[in-house]
Amino acid sequence: MPKTAPWNPTVLWSKPEAERPGTPLLVLFHGYLANEEDLMGLADYLPSEFTIASVRAPQALGPGYTWFPLMNDADFSVERVVDAVDDVAGWLDSVKDVHSSVSLLGFSMGMAVASTLLRHRPADFAAVVGLSGFVVPAEGNPFFHDDELTAGGVPFFWGRDQADPVIDAPRIEFTHAWLNEHTALTKILYSNMGHGINMQELGHVKEFLTHLVLKG
């Protein structure tokens, strides 16, 4: 179904509009049943040079919002992922030109959003950070341009707990294989973190973004 108007999401910004031009942009995508405030607390632990934009998912559900149905839900489809990410791409087009670069950070389901954006527009992003999340199978959908991504290409940080109780083994195996084949992967495992983010991981993310985006 054709879209009638560009998506205008709710976004929290770390800098006022007048201070954003010329800065690198880091876009945050929250997880299932969360909202745009969920990850904004990370801003204090990330490089201050970035303008950070935390985006609310489009679909209200329970206590928060979701980008698409869970993968084990009956109404999940790759098309639902594509619809959400296509809207994000359109919104990004409206804000990205004033920035020196664009990087992405997604937590849990938000990692699927960030990695799908990368796969849709392989040349657009300086780096991607995925925290306790996963990558979705493309199932031949032409929205995904995986053939334009190669190992050693776009820097991708993937942090997780080996004992994460939420992301199941098949999704982890698929994600690991896909990232190895299509990105310059930095993978770090954290103990006793569960399905979350800890301070050690935030330190590693800050270092990753500093060296690969700000000094890259």
Side-chain angles (χ1 to χ4, degrees):
M1 182 180 296
K3 292 181 170 59
T4 56
W7 185 48
N8 185 27
T10 298
V11 182
L12 288 180
W13 294 89
S14 65
K15 298 181 189 296
E17 189 169 0
E19 296 178 16
R20 297 174 201 164
T23 62
L25 176 64
L26 178 64
V27 186
L28 310 185
F29 302 105
H30 64 75
Y32 183 65
L33 302 186
N35 61 36
E36 71 282 3
E37 297 178 0
D38 186 57
L39 296 180
M40 206 58 189
L42 304 184
D44 290 342
Y45 304 98
L46 298 173
S48 59
E49 292 90 342
F50 282 89
T51 291
I52 296 174
S54 187
V55 183
R56 177 192 292 178
Q59 301 170 37
L61 184 66
Y65 298 84
T66 187
W67 299 97
F68 50 83
L70 293 174
M71 288 184 70
N72 56 3
D73 285 355
D75 56 348
F76 172 83
S77 68
V78 172
E79 288 72 24
R80 298 289 293 271
V81 180
V82 166
D83 285 347
V85 175
D86 194 34
D87 282 341
V88 174
W91 167 76
L92 261 179
D93 284 343
S94 72
V95 300
K96 68 181 183 181
D97 288 347
V98 303
H99 295 279
S100 58
S101 66
V102 181
S103 299
L104 309 172
L105 184 155
F107 171 76
S108 193
M109 181 183 280
M111 178 177 163
V113 175
S115 56
T116 300
L117 266 172
L118 171 66
R119 298 162 76 182
H120 180 53
R121 295 185 172 177
D124 281 14
F125 305 109
V128 182
V129 175
L131 307 178
S132 300
F134 59 96
V135 170
V136 298
E139 297 181 3
N141 192 298
F143 189 80
F144 297 82
H145 300 151
D146 289 5
D147 57 339
E148 298 175 30
L149 290 163
T150 58
V154 179
F156 200 113
F157 179 98
W158 184 31
R160 53 179 292 268
D161 187 334
Q162 188 87 25
D164 185 327
V166 172
I167 311 300
D168 62 24
R171 279 189 289 174
I172 292 298
E173 290 168 11
F174 177 86
T175 298
H176 193 190
W178 189 92
L179 291 172
N180 271 328
E181 184 176 351
H182 295 95
T183 71
L185 177 61
T186 298
K187 183 187 74 158
I188 304 181
L189 297 174
Y190 301 90
S191 299
N192 303 313
M193 186 172 71
H195 190 66
I197 301 168
N198 66 20
M199 292 303 299
Q200 183 185 25
E201 184 176 41
L202 284 175
H204 290 151
V205 170
K206 182 175 183 178
E207 182 179 355
F208 172 84
L209 292 171
T210 298
H211 287 286
L212 292 169
V213 179
L214 300 182
K215 296 181 179 178

